[in-house]
Amino acid sequence: DPKSGGKPMHSARIGITWATLRNSAGEKITRLKSTSLSTPNTNYCQLLQELAEEQNYEVEYLDIEELSASGLHQCLVQLTTQPVTVCHGQGHTRDEAHAHAAHNALQYLKLMVRRA
């Protein structure tokens, strides 16, 4: 494509497949498989980002402008896995919504990498 100089218009990182994640010997993904995700004061956004860096996928938070029916901030977190993973989060602040979405994404990743 001459307009883009031959470079793809989307992200340069192609998402990682579930099979690759399952078989990864990376320290963070290995730890995720056996870690409780209910430990108080865990920074789930940081954990998700560190995992993304190790496993070479991207994390993007998409804030939803409307508050939920119960008045909470909402967002989606999107991971460039193959297929794409999208999880919802909500909280009293935007940061809490991001943390909730990251927690949900980590729970989902943990479930998916443990499947045989």
Side-chain angles (χ1 to χ4, degrees), residues 18-23 33 109-116:
W18 292 117
T20 305
L21 273 171
R22 263 182 225 116
N23 296 322
K33 292 175 187 178
L109 284 170
K110 184 174 177 175
L111 283 172
M112 293 303 286
V113 298
R114 290 168 110 191
R115 292 172 96 180

Side-chain angles (χ1 to χ4, degrees), residues 61-64 66-77 87-104:
Y61 293 92
L62 307 162
D63 294 311
I64 299 170
E66 303 150 31
L67 295 178
S68 71
S70 55
L72 298 175
H73 290 273
Q74 303 182 88
C75 75
L76 299 171
V77 63
C87 295
H88 181 262
Q90 60 184 19
H92 294 287
T93 65
R94 216 173 277 289
D95 286 345
E96 277 183 24
H98 287 201
H100 185 235
H103 183 251
N104 289 339

